Amino acid sequence: MSRLVVVSNRVSIPSGGAKAGGLAVALNALMERQGGLWFGWSGKTSNDAKSIGTPVMVEHNGVDYATVDLTPDELEYYYNHFSNATLWPLMHSLPEQMNFDRRSLQTYRGVNVRLAEVLLPMLRPTDTIWIHDYHLLAMAAALRARNISCPIGFFLHTPFPSPDMLSSIPEAALFIRDMLSADLLGFQTNNDAENFCASAQRIAGAARLAGGGLQLGSRQIRVGAFPVEIDPQEFAETAERCGENAETGRLRRSLDGQSLILGVERMDPTKGLRHRLAGFRRLLESRPEWRRQTTLLQIAAESRQDVDAYQYLREDLERASGNINATLGEADWTPLRLLTRGVSRDAIAGFMREARIGLVTPLRDGMNLVAKEYVAAQDPDDPGVLVLSKFAGAARQLGAAILVNPVDPDEIADALDTALRMSRPERQDRWQACWEAIKDTSALEWGRSFVQALGRAGTEIPRSARP
Ligand code: G6P
């Protein structure tokens, strides 16, 4: 069997206590099952040639983890600037949040090449390589340029923008051609895959193939949607157990019979947090009967604090939440509780089970696993209601949630009012439909289906057609 080599900016070493975002959680399941090599950034910086050029190897449960440091300049221009202040807003179609400068672009390309060069000596001819996410758009091309002919897959965890939006960065065509060095390109939804194909055709001159692929020169590239999944059964068990633990018990007692509205995310400009707080304020202003009857617990774990937009967001949220509590609160009632620390997975699962409403309103989101976790966490007998942005990839599967436009505070307020009033039979019907959509999926199957499709893409494409 071919060895799987995963490449991603963040590497989640289970024993290392590294930050686990959606990407890491989804990939751990596959790696622990089939073993392989996982290569990427250590999460640290250094100017020492050895630490940036020689990977540190750790073996855990049959997986070899190989990580290298970035230099402080690389952290600044590759990670903070180009990845998180240019590509991240671009991928989420938020041009007003986007900065661009050439130096960052050059460093970004340089890091993609440098990481390819560090990976090179670790590769075997029979490997299957799977590259992840917007940090590494140029990696497949860098490997091909170094004569790597193994099957290469690329999966984008974020949305992919329309061709018009994509054209707003210089060198958009080059990025597309770089991505087309892979044999299989995976996206979260058909809409993202279609946006990519339209961009490849219009901006990079690729031809569409019958059956969903693309042709560029003599090469054929497969393109498909592979929606990321959670482990719903396991999350349901965790939530049932943690719904009764001490932490959830303290939260329940503090609510004193009020309905809990819960939001959980990284503090990120794409998550619609400013609009969400405006929607909650609108609910309390327009329907005063909910005052003292409900509390919003918003967990917004601090993230990417070296990027300006994230600092501004933090300041705005602290101001807006202080304002809601100061102007709408009472001596004995605080409408909004904002936490900017990370909270343990167990606590989140328990809080989700307690919450009458899961409020998930990103402006745009590749998938949004929190929406799926909220569904999995519910008591089937007395479930809560998911209020979900129609611009999250998860909305394609969870159409039985209350879907909202996340920029419209009135729509959010209406949805909250509807959810708070919803009868138990309607809540059960909606929940059942959402659960049916996810209950037989798993993170492991998601990974396997991509790797299997990559195996097929590799055999469908004649070797002579590879560069
Ligand atoms: C999103 C991205 C991941 C990223 C995660 C956490 O889920 O798709 O690639 O790892 O956010 O962000 P961070 O910048 O802390 O890695």
Side-chain angles (χ1 to χ4, degrees), residues 9-10 19-24 41 79 84 88 132-135 157-158 266 268 271 303-304:
N9 180 62
R10 282 220 192 256
K19 272 197 201 170
L23 181 155
W41 175 37
Y79 175 75
N84 289 329
W88 177 262
H132 289 261
D133 232 354
Y134 59 101
H135 315 86
H157 291 252
T158 67
R266 284 183 308 105
D268 190 289
K271 300 292 182 186
S303 169
R304 304 180 190 166

Side-chain angles (χ1 to χ4, degrees), residues 110-121:
V111 170
N112 274 246
V113 167
R114 192 169 81 67
L115 292 179
E117 283 174 346
V118 176
L119 177 63
L120 220 53

Side-chain angles (χ1 to χ4, degrees), residues 358-362 367 371 375 385-408 410-416 418-419 422 426 430 434:
L359 188 54
V360 185
T361 56
M367 176 50 60
V375 170
V385 182
L386 175 63
V387 175
L388 176 62
S389 163
K390 59 182 174 188
F391 302 125
R396 312 263 155 169
Q397 289 161 284
L398 305 177
I402 301 184
L403 298 185
V404 294
N405 184 330
V407 301
D408 182 350
D410 285 306
E411 206 173 315
I412 294 175
D414 289 348
L416 290 173
T418 303
M422 195 176 283
E426 185 176 348
R430 285 178 180 266
C434 289

Side-chain angles (χ1 to χ4, degrees), residues 30-66:
L30 178 71
M31 290 307 274
E32 295 217 334
R33 181 62 68 97
Q34 76 170 65
L37 172 68
W38 190 342
F39 171 65
W41 175 37
S42 64
K44 295 186 280 221
T45 58
S46 163
N47 274 316
D48 167 45
K50 184 159 181 289
S51 312
I52 61 170
T54 313
V56 171
M57 306 293 300
V58 176
E59 198 272 342
H60 187 84
N61 280 349
V63 183
D64 291 314
Y65 298 87

